Amino acid sequence: MFLKKRNIISMIMILCLSTIFAQGQMQQDQSSEAQLLFQEYNQLNQQIQQLQQQAMNDENIAQKGEALDKEITDAMVKNNPEIKKSLDKRDNIISQYQAAEQSGDQQKMQSLGQEFQSVSQIIQTEQQKVIQQPEIGSHLQEFETLVMQKMEAINPETPQLLSKLEQLRNKLMTMQQQQPNQN
């Protein structure tokens, strides 16, 4: 369940990011440099996600991830019982997205992607509060370290790939911020 949910969420987040850049950048006669950067960003992001997925396939990491996910969710609900509605809504959106994807309904997928983004912001705000708690924060750091070590064992160039991804993201964000000033 943990791995499946993470994969779907990652796919929807990529769709949302792609949609934002596609609408905001590409449709406004953006330079070929931005298009190339965006393609490179997507390819590198996919490569990193594949590495992350391979690391998450490790049984020990998967179990720790599920335990951490439960710990964070439980703490979120304890701190704010209303967040349960947002978590349920997110799960419902994921199910609807899968159905729309299977039927090829691009418009519905885009709409659900936007709705997912909105609900995710609410959840992420609550998550940020929870991971500030020392115990949960340390568990998260341990888990991230474990995943990163496994990713590096799979591909020793992982740190360089992540650094390059961050550089590309920063360039794309800068270009996006400069775009309105060019009109």
Side-chain angles (χ1 to χ4, degrees):
M1 174 69 172
F2 175 76
L3 295 176
K4 184 177 178 185
K5 185 185 281 188
R6 294 285 184 219
N7 280 340
I8 294 168
I9 291 170
S10 294
M11 289 171 37
I12 292 175
M13 294 306 283
I14 289 171
L15 172 71
C16 292
L17 180 64
S18 299
T19 301
I20 289 167
F21 278 111
Q23 290 175 345
Q25 296 285 344
M26 305 307 169
Q27 291 180 351
Q28 294 182 9
D29 195 31
Q30 185 64 312
S31 71
S32 60
E33 177 189 7
Q35 291 175 4
L36 291 174
L37 285 174
F38 185 67
Q39 287 175 340
E40 185 178 357
Y41 176 89
N42 277 338
Q43 290 170 351
L44 191 54
N45 193 41
Q46 287 175 351
Q47 185 179 358
I48 290 169
Q49 284 189 344
Q50 288 172 353
L51 281 170
Q52 186 179 31
Q53 182 58 47
Q54 288 174 345
M56 297 296 288
N57 285 336
D58 180 278
E59 189 174 323
N60 180 45
I61 292 174
Q63 288 175 353
K64 288 182 188 271
E66 288 176 14
L68 179 62
D69 192 45
K70 181 174 177 8
E71 180 181 13
I72 291 171
T73 300
D74 290 349
M76 287 169 47
V77 172
K78 182 180 177 184
N79 288 350
N80 178 3
E82 289 295 310
I83 200 71
K84 179 80 171 108
K85 292 178 186 174
S86 295
L87 292 166
D88 291 343
K89 186 173 184 178
R90 179 187 65 187
D91 292 343
N92 186 35
I93 292 169
I94 290 170
S95 296
Q96 290 180 32
Y97 183 88
Q98 288 174 316
E101 187 176 42
Q102 287 178 348
S103 69
D105 188 344
Q106 295 293 323
Q107 187 175 11
K108 180 78 170 174
M109 288 168 59
Q110 185 174 359
S111 171
L112 288 167
Q114 291 169 349
E115 190 176 352
F116 179 85
Q117 217 172 15
S118 176
V119 171
S120 292
Q121 287 175 341
I122 294 166
I123 294 169
Q124 287 172 358
T125 299
E126 194 64 37
Q127 281 177 334
Q128 288 301 315
K129 292 176 189 174
V130 167
I131 63 174
Q132 297 303 316
Q133 298 173 5
E135 186 175 337
I136 293 177
S138 74
H139 292 164
L140 178 61
Q141 184 63 42
E142 290 169 11
F143 179 72
E144 288 174 348
T145 299
L146 188 63
V147 171
M148 182 58 76
Q149 288 171 344
K150 184 67 173 184
M151 289 172 66
E152 287 181 42
I154 295 167
N155 182 346
E157 294 180 10
T158 297
Q160 293 87 353
L161 296 174
L162 290 168
S163 177
K164 177 70 174 175
L165 184 70
E166 182 67 17
Q167 290 171 3
L168 289 170
R169 186 187 69 77
N170 289 337
K171 283 182 186 178
L172 287 166
M173 296 303 282
T174 299
M175 292 174 115
Q176 184 181 27
Q177 289 169 355
Q178 291 174 349
Q179 182 65 28
N181 298 332
Q182 294 175 359
N183 288 338

